């Protein structure tokens, strides 16, 4: 099992450009999440999904959109990148089975720089 | 509002000694879960240990144990017999209680503690 994978691993964008980050999981998890990690601020939730076809806003959703057309994939889009979106982006997934710890499993991260 | 506080930005420990990383949380809900993750310099997030608010005993996983003091709202991570490979950033996180958003398993993270193990 690959677990959670993210593409690309690194990306440099110019202000105003758009891009899509792809997250894929092979654990049949219902729940998926996108976080950003900035120095001194821990991980902050951007958007999340509790199932195929459903998405919801997290703590810092502005400037991002997401889609979950297939259960195993969760896409994060930046329509018009800004320097403030320079960050490391993590995707995660978790089971929805009640009574379990249901820890989140994380992808390796994508380092995005917006010039 | 739910909140996780990690007051130690950085810690040093000698190899083979034990170290405690502090974590306090704020919630008014009686049902919650607490997690610790490790992030080495390579960047990946590694799940270490979980403590449920109704668990009768403190959680343990190998050299990791959780000093859970419910009345003080603290969930400190104890690493015994530190190894050089334990040098990493450590994050405490709390699962958002069910009543605030349903069963989403959303996590609220602290700002982390950077641990350096010295030989």
């Amino acid at each position: 099992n690959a677990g959670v994978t993210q593409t690309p691993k690194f990306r440099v964008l110019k202000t105003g450009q758009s891009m899509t980050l792809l997250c894929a999981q092979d654990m049949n998890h219902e729940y998926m999440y996108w976080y950003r990690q900035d120095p001194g601020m821990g991980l902050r939730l951007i958007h999340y999904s509790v199932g195929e076809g459903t998405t919801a806003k997290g703590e810092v959703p502005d400037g991002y959109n997401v889609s979950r057309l297939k259960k195993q994939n969760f896409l994060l889009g930046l329509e018009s990148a800004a320097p403030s979106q320079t960050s490391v982006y993590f995707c995660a997934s978790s089971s929805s089975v009640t009574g379990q710890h249901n820890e989140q499993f994380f992808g390796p991260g994508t380092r995005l720089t917006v010039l | 509002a739910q909140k996780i506080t990690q007051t130690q930005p950085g810690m040093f420990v000698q190899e083979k000694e034990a170290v405690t990383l502090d974590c306090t949380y704020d919630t008014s809900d009686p049902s919650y879960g607490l997690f610790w993750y490790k992030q080495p310099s390579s960047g990946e997030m590694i799940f270490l240990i979980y403590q449920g608010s109704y668990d009768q005993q403190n959680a343990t996983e190998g050299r990791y144990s959780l000093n859970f003091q419910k009345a003080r709202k603290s969930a400190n991570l104890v690493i015994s017999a530190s190894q050089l490979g334990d040098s990493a950033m450590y994050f405490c996180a709390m699962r958002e209680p069910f009543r605030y958003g349903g069963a989403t398993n959303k996590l609220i993270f602290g700002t982390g503690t950077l641990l350096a193990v010295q030989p």
Side-chain angles (χ1 to χ4, degrees):
Chain A
N1 284 354
V4 181
T5 58
Q6 292 181 230
T7 52
K9 288 185 170 52
F10 303 92
R11 187 73 186 267
V12 178
L13 290 179
K14 293 181 180 178
T15 298
Q17 287 185 320
S18 63
M19 78 163 295
T20 300
L21 283 68
L22 171 65
C23 176
Q25 52 95 4
D26 62 2
M27 295 172 282
N28 201 35
H29 285 166
E30 286 293 333
Y31 300 159
M32 295 187 75
Y33 315 85
W34 275 107
Y35 294 91
R36 60 177 289 172
Q37 183 179 20
D38 302 293
M41 301 187 75
L43 277 76
R44 293 181 293 168
L45 184 65
I46 304 171
H47 286 280
Y48 65 99
S49 168
V50 297
E52 182 179 319
T54 70
T55 63
K57 294 180 180 180
E59 181 187 357
V60 288
D62 293 343
Y64 306 95
N65 55 74
V66 288
S67 65
R68 185 126 180 245
L69 300 179
K70 293 183 179 180
K71 185 178 182 179
Q72 64 268 33
N73 295 339
F74 195 27
L75 278 65
L76 177 70
L78 286 73
E79 290 187 346
S80 179
S84 60
Q85 294 178 303
T86 293
S87 188
V88 179
Y89 291 86
F90 285 97
C91 176
S93 71
S94 77
S95 171
S96 59
V97 176
T98 55
Q100 303 293 322
H101 296 173
N102 291 337
E103 71 268 26
Q104 291 186 12
F105 293 82
F106 283 80
T110 295
R111 186 173 296 274
L112 174 67
T113 302
V114 183
L115 302 175
Chain B
Q2 325 301 307
K3 188 177 180 182
I4 291 284
T5 303
Q6 295 181 256
T7 58
Q8 305 156 312
M11 291 275 288
F12 287 96
V13 65
Q14 289 294 122
E15 196 177 5
K16 300 180 184 178
E17 292 185 350
V19 62
T20 297
L21 306 183
D22 295 342
C23 172
T24 59
Y25 58 92
D26 187 14
T27 181
S28 57
D29 202 280
S31 177
Y32 49 88
L34 296 157
F35 299 79
W36 277 91
Y37 282 85
K38 173 184 179 182
Q39 186 180 42
S41 58
S42 51
E44 70 269 30
M45 294 286 288
I46 303 166
F47 166 70
L48 294 178
I49 196 166
Y50 169 83
Q51 180 81 47
S53 59
Y54 293 123
D55 292 345
Q56 294 297 312
Q57 294 185 328
N58 287 351
T60 60
E61 287 287 349
R63 292 186 299 109
Y64 304 109
S65 61
L66 213 151
N67 183 1
F68 182 48
Q69 298 187 39
K70 203 169 182 177
R72 299 179 63 181
K73 294 189 176 179
S74 72
N76 299 339
L77 177 70
V78 180
I79 305 175
S80 63
S82 297
Q83 302 173 355
L84 296 178
D86 294 333
S87 294
M89 181 73 85
Y90 289 82
F91 291 99
C92 179
M94 178 170 64
R95 175 164 50 219
E96 188 175 78
F98 180 87
R99 67 172 177 167
Y100 287 97
T104 65
N105 280 350
K106 287 163 61 180
L107 293 180
I108 302 154
F109 281 86
T111 53
T113 296
L114 182 61
L115 177 66
V117 180
Q118 297 176 321

